[in-house]
Amino acid sequence: VAPTVSGLAVTVFGGTGYVGSAVCERLIKKGHTVTAVSRRGQNPKPDNAELSQVNWVVGDATDPKTVDSALRSADAAVHAIGLLFDVDSGLTGLNKIVSGSGSLPGEDSTYDNITRKTAFNVINAIEKKQNFLSKNLSKKKFPFAFVSAAEAGWPEVAFGETVDGLAPEWLNKYLIAKRVVEAKLNVSK
């Protein structure tokens, strides 16, 4: 059994969504202090004991300054910002049903903006913070989790290219955005 680390200050981007709120709950149960950044900045389940302990912050992760600020006192971060149907999919109304937060995308809510841009902003902010820490205080790595779909690995599995070829255009855009972030993470410091 791996030892657990408790008492970290963790910033969760997209904490009001289905996955993000579950991540926040789990982190609180493990003894961490959690700040959740989202467009609404409100607890999605006010009667939930764990989520009531989260610091809910309004913020737009497409803005690098917002991300830098949110990570200033963090020890770790999670990117759980999700968008199932972007504005180009023609299916945005379904987000109200399938979204954990019940949100509808704004007019700039493309997979590229919501997935790639927000994740790159978090990665870049962490790299800046990591560079500062390694030069001045510590060589310790900054833990970061990016929530991604298993399907993003389709090209590497049997018949993956066939599945990619059969997927609708909107799903391919979703997967491309996830894969670009995963590629950046693979070369990130």
Side-chain angles (χ1 to χ4, degrees):
V1 176
T4 59
V5 178
S6 63
L8 295 177
V10 183
T11 299
V12 178
F13 293 92
T16 58
Y18 180 77
V19 173
S21 62
V23 168
C24 290
E25 276 186 75
R26 177 75 49 97
L27 288 167
I28 291 291
K29 285 179 182 177
K30 295 286 186 180
H32 303 292
T33 302
V34 178
T35 297
V37 180
S38 69
R39 290 175 294 149
R40 280 171 306 290
Q42 296 176 343
N43 183 347
K45 301 175 190 171
D47 295 333
N48 179 291
E50 285 77 28
L51 292 181
S52 294
Q53 297 175 56
V54 172
N55 176 30
W56 298 97
V57 175
V58 174
D60 180 357
T62 64
D63 174 36
K65 290 180 183 175
T66 297
V67 174
D68 288 344
S69 176
L71 289 174
R72 192 164 292 124
S73 3
D75 301 314
V78 176
H79 181 284
I81 297 172
L83 175 65
L84 191 52
F85 302 111
D86 81 347
V87 294
D88 296 332
S89 71
L91 302 168
T92 56
L94 293 175
N95 283 304
K96 190 75 173 158
I97 300 165
V98 299
S99 168
S101 64
S103 68
L104 288 172
E107 62 186 40
D108 294 331
S109 295
T110 62
Y111 296 123
D112 188 64
N113 274 337
I114 300 305
T115 300
R116 185 202 54 82
K117 185 176 184 179
T118 61
F120 276 31
N121 286 345
V122 175
I123 294 165
N124 292 339
I126 289 170
E127 286 180 341
K128 281 193 286 188
K129 184 175 180 136
Q130 189 68 46
N131 287 337
F132 172 81
L133 290 174
S134 66
K135 288 178 187 168
N136 298 296
L137 303 170
S138 154
K139 299 287 183 198
K140 188 172 78 168
K141 291 285 185 185
F142 187 96
F144 174 59
F146 171 65
V147 177
S148 188
E151 293 87 352
W154 279 345
E156 289 81 35
V157 299
F159 306 109
E161 288 184 18
T162 302
V163 173
D164 263 2
L166 296 173
E169 182 182 356
W170 65 266
L171 180 56
N172 278 318
K173 287 181 179 179
Y174 169 86
L175 296 172
I176 287 166
K178 292 286 189 176
R179 291 172 183 152
V180 169
V181 175
E182 291 171 358
K184 181 167 177 74
L185 285 170
N186 283 332
V187 298
S188 180
K189 299 174 202 166

